[in-house]
Amino acid sequence: MPLRRKTSKAGKSGSHGKSPSNSSPTSEDMLLSDLQANLQKIRQTLGNSTDIGIREIPFGESGETSIALLYTDGLADQNIIYESVMKTVAHMAKAAGQQNQESPIVSDGNRLLEEISLYNQEIKTVNDYKTLFHALLSGDTVVLINGSVQGLIAGTKGWKDRGVTETSAENVVRGPREAFSEALRTNTSMIRRKIKDPNLWLETMQIGRVTQTDVGMMYINGIANSEIVQEVRDRLKRIDVDSVLESGYIEEFIQDTTFTPFPTIYNSERPDVIAAELLEGKIAILVDGTPFVLIVPALLMSFLHASEDYYQRWDISSFLRILRYLSIFISLLGPSLYIAITTFHQEMLPTQLLFGLAAQREQIPFPAFVEALLMEVTFEILREAGVRLPKNIGSAISIVGTLVIGQAAVEAGIISAAMVIVVAITAISSFVLPAFNMSIAFRMLRFPLMALAGSFGLFGIFVGIMALVLHLCSLRSFGVPYTTPFAPLIPVDQKDTILRLPHWLLATRPRLISKTNQTRRPGNPPKKSRNEN
């Protein structure tokens, strides 16, 4: 399946290629040999910020040569600075003073590089201010030497983060309960704990003119499609924006289609979910500062499946999937079918049920569509209020508010009791979807389908469903059809769609995602021992 080249959004804003932060430094940006001139420019650029630590150490007996250590308080680990950098510099300064001579490191820094690298594995050189400021404001320590136009960067990141905690956005029934944190390096290490393969590659870049946010692209070489990997890389490099504060920024810039309620990029805060997606040939995009990791390409089936489907037995997982699809049907079409049947197709109802509904609606001043619209809007307001309220009272307010308002509306003759039941079942069914952003899409589509049902009955619902299916078939995620493996129909991939077959039958990866390495294991059932016969 050929990939469709991205030319909008990120391509428009960054048509010149890479962002200015990736441009080569000019002569004015290069470090000077005069240490005091370098320090003066650094202080001036940073506005003499009080959290920037600058410590000068005299070097040699006369003290005319000095070394400066620069770090950001709160981002750099003071213990690492002292053990791997400061003690080494102080020891070499003392040795040079005892020898009554200046050390050769004043000219090129090679000896200091060798000494510090014995205690710190993250060592590299720097010769321009742009790289210096990025390292300094990222938590690293910069070592500048008087008389040298080259400095050293020592990895000393050590800021406080939330650490590894239990998932909050994705509830876990069975499986690992750990979740990603806001630290990029912590997140990459959690994925490598799951996949100990040297072919798990990580590419890191900085996106954002002002924030200079670290963004990582992770994939398994040999399993991921090289064309999709290159497409993801190109779209990320075309992003030209001043800030990236969350992975949602990246999502909007690289998605294929903007005007659609359906998400075309999957996200999760669970390392086991991301590892499973990587093993299918997909690509993970990690953004520093957020626990939500993006996965591309994303298919419709990805949002309808839960990670617990692969931790339970295959028959239990298949039953739960069927129940989930039924809930999706109710969530999308529940109020619409009620409106259409009670308004245009009363002959479809049993006589006793029809008389009961007619008796309930005898005193209702509004048609069924207005009834459903009032209840749906009210419930959406209560649900959003429950999310924004403090956790201690959020759930209580939403439940009590729904009960009180529903009961009062029925007693006041504004809403029928049957409508309250339909809206309540619809709302409960919408919570069954594992992906929150897909649940929002179905909640949004519920309203135009209700309008079609109130205007044209079941015919309007069928027209709306046909338009919805056509729209889904037109969507792509990084060149892969969104409705794969149903459209186009791929029989070999049907083993993990509506039903989930046993693991020993899941021998191949999705055909349109991983083209180079599609085999997980030979598709033969495990042999039984003699005791089982």
Side-chain angles (χ1 to χ4, degrees), residues 23-90:
S23 59
S24 57
T26 61
S27 58
E28 297 180 355
D29 295 330
M30 305 302 290
L31 292 175
L32 305 175
S33 59
D34 187 357
L35 177 62
Q36 295 303 322
N38 288 329
L39 295 181
Q40 181 179 0
K41 181 175 177 62
I42 292 171
R43 290 190 179 100
Q44 182 179 1
T45 303
L46 296 175
N48 292 316
S49 300
T50 56
D51 60 340
I52 304 299
I54 300 178
R55 185 164 183 177
E56 298 183 50
I57 302 176
F59 206 94
E61 184 180 10
S62 58
E64 67 277 4
T65 301
S66 62
I67 297 177
L69 303 181
L70 298 88
Y71 59 92
T72 303
D73 188 17
L75 296 180
D77 192 326
Q78 300 287 344
N79 294 327
I80 300 178
I81 295 176
Y82 177 75
E83 293 292 337
S84 64
V85 181
M86 195 171 295
K87 286 179 66 174
T88 304
V89 173

Side-chain angles (χ1 to χ4, degrees), residues 320-346:
L320 294 178
R321 282 189 179 181
I322 295 174
L323 186 64
R324 191 177 303 137
Y325 296 142
L326 177 62
S327 301
I328 294 172
F329 176 82
I330 296 174
S331 173
L332 181 63
L333 299 176
S336 304
L337 291 175
Y338 177 82
I339 293 171
I341 293 174
T342 56
T343 305
F344 297 97
H345 311 283
Q346 296 91 344

Side-chain angles (χ1 to χ4, degrees), residues 161-166 177-181 186-187 190 193 271:
D161 58 12
R162 184 167 54 94
V164 179
T165 59
E166 189 172 346
R177 299 183 179 274
E178 59 185 2
F180 288 121
S181 68
T186 301
N187 296 341
M190 295 176 71
R193 282 179 54 198

Side-chain angles (χ1 to χ4, degrees), residues 141-154:
T141 297
V142 179
V143 182
L144 298 179
I145 306 168
N146 189 30
S148 175
V149 295
Q150 195 175 59
L152 303 176
I153 297 176

